[in-house]
Amino acid sequence: MSRVKYIILVAFLCVLSSVTEMGGLMAQEWNSARISVLNGGNIPFVFNTLDRLRKGIELNNASKFGITLNTNNVSGHDLTGFQLNFRSFNMQPAIQGEVYSIPLDRIRVKAENALGLETGLSQGYVSLNTDWMPLFSYENPLWTNLSWNMHQINISYECGKPVDMGGNGVLLGESPDYYVVEIEFEIIPTGPGFRSEERRVGKECT
């Protein structure tokens, strides 16, 4: 009988607060935004069978975010939507274990409408990266403010899925260890007068 040693990977979620950084200055005068982690702040993957090591693990709708986004009606900055992005926190270059490491792209993330954002566009599963990657976007030219209890996004995760099943490679052959990575999410407001380099600053971890 073959013996399977455990590979345990835990993803901790971080979200960025509602302050906008503009040219070195921080302000909230144009809009206010917040991601509320309603559930699924810690995401464990336990690879304790050969089947999981060979086929990977998918966790559907494992996290839920509430989205709050309000315009302050400042002339020249017409809020019409947002983009949800993610990356490894502080551009962590690998999924780090106590001894070993695993490439970041073994984790992929997907964001989809859960409530109130039906016209939003999901990018499907996207590989975890050190760069900001878009997950979900929403546009409404006839803007109405969003509230966390009425506008929600489901987040799904997969890890170690085979290439022939659309993933980035299995964990079979990786060394047993306790691996950890923090995943950072941000909201970028969109619309006339907003620049793509406007980012959120500040950190909350769950």
Side-chain angles (χ1 to χ4, degrees):
M1 178 183 293
S2 60
R3 182 182 178 187
V4 178
K5 296 183 179 179
Y6 283 28
I7 294 176
I8 300 176
L9 189 154
V10 179
F12 296 98
L13 308 190
C14 296
V15 297
L16 297 187
S17 67
S18 60
V19 182
T20 303
E21 185 174 27
M22 291 293 301
L25 299 176
M26 294 190 301
Q28 289 180 290
E29 60 185 82
W30 299 339
N31 67 90
S32 57
R34 186 176 184 84
I35 302 172
S36 301
V37 181
L38 304 180
N39 59 54
N42 300 335
I43 307 299
F45 295 92
V46 181
F47 291 85
N48 56 358
T49 68
L50 283 173
D51 189 63
R52 288 185 172 190
L53 289 168
R54 288 170 175 160
K55 296 181 180 179
I57 297 174
E58 184 171 7
L59 303 175
N60 287 309
N61 303 334
S63 302
K64 181 171 286 185
F65 293 169
I67 305 298
T68 301
L69 184 56
N70 300 317
T71 180
N72 291 343
N73 296 311
V74 175
S75 178
H77 297 86
D78 299 321
L79 184 63
T80 61
F82 70 86
Q83 180 170 295
L84 177 69
N85 300 328
F86 84 125
R87 70 175 181 181
S88 63
F89 180 69
N90 274 346
M91 296 182 290
Q92 180 178 328
I95 302 168
Q96 190 61 50
E98 295 177 358
V99 178
Y100 304 100
S101 63
I102 296 173
L104 282 178
D105 68 1
R106 292 301 185 271
I107 290 180
R108 301 200 306 164
V109 179
K110 177 173 65 174
E112 297 177 298
N113 169 64
L115 176 67
L117 300 169
E118 289 81 4
T119 60
L121 175 64
S122 171
Q123 297 297 320
Y125 271 112
V126 180
S127 301
L128 183 59
N129 200 299
T130 55
D131 295 326
W132 288 112
M133 302 296 292
L135 281 175
F136 185 89
S137 59
Y138 172 80
E139 288 291 325
N140 180 8
L142 303 175
W143 181 256
T144 56
N145 290 333
L146 308 182
S147 60
W148 68 269
N149 59 328
M150 297 299 295
H151 301 89
Q152 298 174 1
I153 292 174
N154 283 327
I155 307 294
S156 299
Y157 308 83
E158 66 173 36
C159 182
K161 195 171 183 179
V163 173
D164 61 6
M165 295 176 63
N168 290 328
V170 301
L171 297 190
L172 187 64
E174 298 288 353
S175 298
D177 207 337
Y178 183 85
Y179 297 89
V180 175
V181 66
E182 289 183 274
I183 302 177
E184 186 175 20
F185 294 85
E186 68 170 4
I187 283 183
I188 300 297
T190 57
F194 289 95
R195 302 201 308 263
S196 60
E197 64 269 24
E198 295 175 9
R199 307 210 86 90
R200 302 292 168 202
V201 298
K203 169 190 171 187
E204 294 179 15
C205 287
T206 60

